[in-house]
Amino acid sequence: MSSIREAAKLEATRMQSVNPAQYFERNLHQLGFGDPEHALLQTLKELTDNALDAAEAGNILPEVKVNVIALDKTYDFSRLKERRISARFFKVSVEDNGIGILPDRIADCFGTLLYGSKFFILRQSRGQQGVGASAALLYSQLTSLQPAVIISKISGGKAIYVELKIDVEKNKPDILVMKETKWNKKHGTRIELITPGRFTARVERYFRELAIGNPHATIMVRAIKEPDGDPLEVKIERAIEYMPRKPLEIKPHLLSLDPGTLQRMAEMDKCCRTAASFLAKHFSMISPKTARKLLFHAKLPPHIKPSQIKADRIVDAAKKVNIRRPPLNVLSEIGAENLEKALWNIYPDAEFVAAHTRPPWSYRGIPFQIEVAVVYGGESVQRDVSERPGKFKVIRLANRVPLPYDSSDCLLYRCVGEVNWKNYGLKIGDHGTITDPIIFVVSIVASKVPYTSAGKFAVAHDEDIKGETILALQEIGRRLRMFLSRRRKIIEKERRYEYFKEFYKLISEEVKLITGEEVTPEVTLERLFEEVRS
Amino acid sequence: MSSIREAAKLEATRMQSVNPAQYFERNLHQLGFGDPEHALLQTLKELTDNALDAAEAGNILPEVKVNVIALDKTYDFSRLKERRISARFFKVSVEDNGIGILPDRIADCFGTLLYGSKFFILRQSRGQQGVGASAALLYSQLTSLQPAVIISKISGGKAIYVELKIDVEKNKPDILVMKETKWNKKHGTRIELITPGRFTARVERYFRELAIGNPHATIMVRAIKEPDGDPLEVKIERAIEYMPRKPLEIKPHLLSLDPGTLQRMAEMDKCCRTAASFLAKHFSMISPKTARKLLFHAKLPPHIKPSQIKADRIVDAAKKVNIRRPPLNVLSEIGAENLEKALWNIYPDAEFVAAHTRPPWSYRGIPFQIEVAVVYGGESVQRDVSERPGKFKVIRLANRVPLPYDSSDCLLYRCVGEVNWKNYGLKIGDHGTITDPIIFVVSIVASKVPYTSAGKFAVAHDEDIKGETILALQEIGRRLRMFLSRRRKIIEKERRYEYFKEFYKLISEEVKLITGEEVTPEVTLERLFEEVRS
């Protein structure tokens, strides 16, 4: 028996807390890092997300400069002789013209895991967790041992240069250098990391998709894929010259709030005197009158303190009181017209581009909005289709950010598979694959996107989101069918035109032979065209 | 310009740290909670994981009692009129005969996210992160507002009764009741939660699979699926009466360590005087001689302090010095014979059961071991096959824990699909589905299992793990082919036997008619059997 007691004591000596930096350092693959295929693209994705958010926070048309330069140094993911896996190191930098970061906040923004301005707020934005960019730093320093180099400048301030690493034991920045510097820019942020990875076709595709989700952004990518190789320069100019509507913050909605969250909000509230005013102030679509009704149905007096609320009763009462859906004008959709412009920008030789924007709706009390588009035909589409993996060729966007992985798990992808595209005139091959050269775009914007994982790879299943997406795809399908049937008729006419043109001389000779009537070939042709056109 | 400056200042006021409880509360779906399908099973899974680990820590044959009782109360996941989604609340309790928890540690173990004894240790165990059970508590209190009720007792100590909630703002336990109590048990832990979910066939299947991975455990499940319904009682007695080998802790291996981790270990080291002794003491398979060789190749003097190590140079040197693979005798595999016993226990009417254990191997410096099994034929297999989703019927186990979700993403599942089972005598239908009644078991044990997500749903891709799994499946395939060909022959013979039996009288009459020889039907039959048997 005493050995069992000893085991319990030994176990107790081993128990300790783990901080978020320690947790994510050991679980970087959950955030999309950890292997060469994913690491480089994930780094670029997290840094450009922040760059675009930083510009939009100041109502600035974003201009993002990305540099990816291969270094003459490799990283061994596995050093076993039998199975050595290595990838190249890249110097990655992303520079924006955003609002910049206050000098005393720069280090924490990048050097602390789970730190940021967006976590507690319900508002459409690319970043949500305060974990993406610092995870990119963590991965960089683990593999390259090099610090991150950051320059940031707020409007009217001095540019600040910072070199830092993350102190994993403390989950705090370890600042190596911090000084004022000269920077030929009014405001913005630039971050530079050394990180290992593979520069695949997926990386180039990512920036094209990013431009589709952000027609108001100019994106410049300069990449040197091999040391001393020729630079690849891609400049995607913005397709529209005005800012999208600014997304607004919303309050939580009683119809989907967990009672535990409501209870805690009530207990922690410091600003409201009564339960009624607390409900009216902190929740979506609750007027003072609705608040009183809620408390009445919950059998609670309206003048109790917020902390005396019984959350489960309020939540039950919410089913009886008519609470409207959340306000839906808080989102910033791409817009069908803008989406079409962005697609023509990327696929200038396409035969057909069409986009459709659904009105906003809500899932579990959170506003969202679906937009879809198709691009059909042309060489650039053909090329893109052949490169793209998966059964259907779908560009997925969530809050304007492309989702490059895990398509088969993603609701946005699966919705495309649920539509019977044969009904809309597309050619279907074996195994149900569409053989026409077509790319679908499915975009969701939401105050909070329901991702399936911390790495934000895929959108989770939800019936409301699914319903809206299918409706949008069916609408675009109808337009596609019209285009395809028109196209077919034109092709058919052209075919007949070519046929007649070739034989019209022969025909006029035949006519002469049979009727004796002398008609010129031109007249014959004209008469036949009449026939065809009718 | 000043508005851009103001935006930067506003952003700064919003920046703040997020603690792990706040993070996981908003991202419970990443841990497998958050919808009725997953929540109940995930709660049971996390609690039974801990129960089994607690028994094994004291070298005790585990006896786990699970109670799941439907309450007359539902939880609304969404309260929208148009799409109300609700599920029943269940009172869930899991009781073990493990070592118990020291009284002053009980609250932290369950009431703090990212707290535990296993995170910093490389050793085969079910829990790894210190997040599973506390996430189950978090979900329970968010939805039911009820505290968790825990009783724990160490050998020779008093039983302690605790009621607690997690204080999310502080990531600390909020202890409501803590007192000594009477408990008719020498040592162990019992935890009780109120949690919403759905009691599906998957839950029952989970416990059967758990018994397959843990033939040394007795598992008792008592479930009442509807209020006032009849209890479903399942008792799976242990199939073997001895403890599996105890898994051992290993040190990290230089051949796959990130240089950043090495650098930090060196800088934080407090026990070693020299770099050489540091390397020899804290890493796997490094003798003092190898340590000196490493430092020599890294162009570092052997007597420098650990903190003066250049991690990148050491890591490069590791490729030149011959460091052996990690010790492989640290794992606790199920064992082919035990796995077969466990399978006969669950599928007593099967026609064929076979298991195969590969020798241990390592991926990226971490030991792992693959075992596979097949169960063929019989009514219980047939029933299980028809209930189980997916193309192939695969029971996946990781460190003896069944993985109930995300099979198509899981390496263990995908390996089954990579084998051409037609070559091994199985019947293949349309779309490549196996039509025979067969269930595969694929199990990995490892000092650290590479899961794809925090919810531990699936095993990530790795070439070494894949190679070992395919080899194991091929071996089991060969045995399967022998069985199937023997089976086919027997069936064929039986068919011919039946045929002859029916017509032997006719034949003997014919023989008499043709040859005039008078033979009894019995003799005819015997002669014909001779023929068949030869």
Side-chain angles (χ1 to χ4, degrees), chain A residues 120-124 247-254 256 265 281-285 325-331 361-368 446-448, chain B residues 14:
Chain A
F120 293 99
I121 291 174
L122 274 176
R123 186 185 56 193
Q124 175 188 336
L248 302 177
E249 187 178 339
I250 56 161
K251 298 170 192 167
H253 197 283
L254 263 195
S256 63
M265 286 174 72
K281 181 167 177 189
H282 295 294
F283 297 90
S284 202
M285 306 321 253
R325 283 193 174 251
L328 298 176
N329 57 349
V330 299
L331 300 171
W361 193 236
S362 71
Y363 76 95
R364 301 192 60 206
I366 294 167
F368 75 96
S447 297
K448 187 183 158 101
Chain B
R14 286 179 165 164

Side-chain angles (χ1 to χ4, degrees), chain A residues 21-90:
Chain A
Q22 293 168 324
Y23 176 80
F24 284 116
E25 188 193 47
R26 281 169 179 76
N27 292 287
L28 274 171
H29 59 281
Q30 288 174 15
L31 298 171
F33 299 91
D35 66 87
E37 283 308 329
H38 295 66
L40 181 64
L41 176 51
Q42 193 67 23
T43 299
L44 289 165
K45 184 173 184 297
E46 296 295 352
L47 298 183
T48 47
D49 277 10
N50 284 5
L52 292 167
D53 276 348
E56 285 171 23
N59 218 28
I60 301 158
L61 283 170
E63 189 170 297
V64 180
K65 286 183 197 159
V66 178
N67 263 278
V68 188
I69 296 164
L71 302 181
D72 193 13
K73 203 181 156 198
T74 57
Y75 181 70
D76 297 305
F77 287 83
S78 167
R79 290 165 212 110
L80 284 179
K81 266 197 204 118
E82 304 88 331
R83 203 184 295 286
R84 193 161 287 174
I85 311 166
S86 59
R88 195 170 281 297
F89 273 111
F90 288 88

Side-chain angles (χ1 to χ4, degrees), chain A residues 346-384:
Chain A
I346 304 288
Y347 301 105
D349 59 341
E351 286 184 50
F352 177 69
V353 169
H356 176 62
T357 302
R358 290 283 304 165
W361 193 236
S362 71
Y363 76 95
R364 301 192 60 206
I366 294 167
F368 75 96
Q369 189 168 5
I370 295 291
E371 296 174 276
V372 305
V374 287
V375 197
Y376 185 98
E379 215 169 292
S380 57
V381 168
Q382 191 72 62
R383 196 180 331 116
D384 211 2

Side-chain angles (χ1 to χ4, degrees), chain B residues 421-437:
Chain B
W421 292 105
K422 208 172 170 181
N423 288 349
Y424 298 104
L426 287 173
K427 284 196 276 297
I428 310 295
D430 297 343
H431 314 294
T433 315
I434 295 170
T435 53
D436 278 302

Side-chain angles (χ1 to χ4, degrees), chain B residues 257-441:
Chain B
L257 201 68
D258 287 318
T261 310
L262 171 60
Q263 190 76 50
R264 199 173 63 252
M265 286 173 73
E267 280 165 13
M268 304 234 332
D269 183 73
K270 288 194 184 78
C271 63
C272 297
R273 231 172 31 84
T274 68
S277 61
F278 164 76
L279 289 171
K281 182 167 176 188
H282 295 293
F283 297 90
S284 201
M285 306 320 252
I286 309 274
S287 65
K289 198 177 145 194
T290 314
R292 280 193 303 275
K293 260 198 218 166
L294 274 168
L295 288 162
F296 171 78
H297 281 288
K299 294 184 182 138
L300 294 165
H303 295 297
I304 55 171
K305 286 186 200 157
S307 60
Q308 292 173 300
I309 274 180
K310 304 281 175 218
D312 47 348
R313 288 204 229 157
I314 297 283
V315 156
D316 266 344
K319 288 187 283 184
K320 290 170 201 151
V321 176
N322 200 12
I323 303 177
R324 277 175 302 144
R325 281 194 175 252
L328 299 177
N329 57 349
V330 298
L331 300 170
S332 173
E333 78 283 11
I334 304 171
E337 205 186 316
N338 299 337
L339 192 50
E340 288 178 5
K341 278 182 190 159
L343 285 167
W344 282 119
N345 207 5
I346 304 287
Y347 303 105
D349 59 341
E351 286 183 50
F352 177 69
V353 169
H356 176 62
T357 303
R358 290 281 305 163
W361 192 238
S362 72
Y363 77 94
R364 300 192 62 204
I366 294 166
F368 76 95
Q369 190 168 5
I370 295 292
E371 296 174 276
V372 304
V374 288
V375 198
Y376 185 97
E379 215 168 291
S380 55
V381 169
Q382 191 72 62
R383 197 179 333 113
D384 211 2
V385 162
S386 66
E387 276 175 11
R388 197 173 286 273
K391 203 163 159 187
F392 308 106
K393 312 306 170 182
V394 184
I395 295 174
R396 295 171 294 131
L397 300 165
N399 282 357
R400 299 168 176 266
V401 180
L403 305 178
Y405 302 116
D406 281 4
S407 62
S408 60
D409 285 338
C410 184
L411 178 64
L412 304 186
Y413 179 89
R414 287 209 309 264
C415 284
V416 175
E418 294 239 343
V419 174
N420 185 352
W421 292 105
K422 208 172 170 181
N423 288 349
Y424 298 104
L426 287 173
K427 284 196 276 297
I428 310 295
D430 297 343
H431 314 294
T433 315
I434 295 170
T435 53
D436 278 302
I438 187 166
I439 294 171
F440 297 88
V441 180

